Amino acid sequence: MTRNRRGSGEAWYVATALDQPGVDQVVGRVLTRHDLLGPYAGHPAVETATRVAPVGTRLLFLLNHAPRPARLTAHAPATDLLTGERVDQGDPLVLDPSGVAVLQ
């Protein structure tokens, strides 16, 4: 594995076929290095996506792909637009199996 800097960016090259744990480790290093891991990266069954509306409103979509509840901690104050429930930073946030939350 090698990393080359070019201007303000960098490229990583892996000269082998990695198994899935190896891919996860390399990708995790790259994402950590560039501060790109989301607040729920430790929950592999939870998919997150942030969308910004044309007026600048930020929405965080959380999707639980697991057949069991995902027990998270709110990383910021927000309102779930699907339920109207308000959470504060540090509050428990539970997604049902295959559950979805849209936080604003």
Side-chain angles (χ1 to χ4, degrees), residues 1-6 8-16 18 22-36:
M1 183 168 77
T2 186
R3 182 184 71 221
N4 289 316
R5 293 190 183 130
R6 182 67 91 190
S8 63
E10 61 184 26
W12 292 60
Y13 178 74
V14 179
T16 187
L18 297 172
V23 170
D24 293 345
Q25 183 179 17
V26 171
V27 171
R29 285 183 63 189
V30 172
L31 295 176
T32 298
R33 180 176 177 81
H34 295 283
D35 196 26
L36 295 173

Side-chain angles (χ1 to χ4, degrees), residues 6-74:
R6 182 67 91 190
S8 63
E10 61 184 26
W12 292 60
Y13 178 74
V14 179
T16 187
L18 297 172
D19 59 5
Q20 191 58 52
V23 170
D24 293 345
Q25 183 179 17
V26 171
V27 171
R29 285 183 63 189
V30 172
L31 295 176
T32 298
R33 180 176 177 81
H34 295 283
D35 196 26
L36 295 173
L37 286 177
Y40 303 112
H43 299 273
V46 176
E47 177 183 349
T48 63
T50 301
R51 298 290 182 258
V52 181
V55 294
T57 304
R58 297 180 65 83
L59 302 175
L60 176 63
F61 291 78
L62 301 173
L63 297 88
N64 180 14
H65 294 285
R68 60 193 169 284
R71 301 186 188 294
L72 312 170
T73 301

Side-chain angles (χ1 to χ4, degrees), residues 74 76-80 83-89 91-93 103-104:
T79 300
D80 184 340
T83 66
E85 184 177 328
R86 174 94 179 135
V87 293
D88 289 316
Q89 183 174 355
D91 284 353
L93 181 61
L103 303 179
Q104 176 183 13

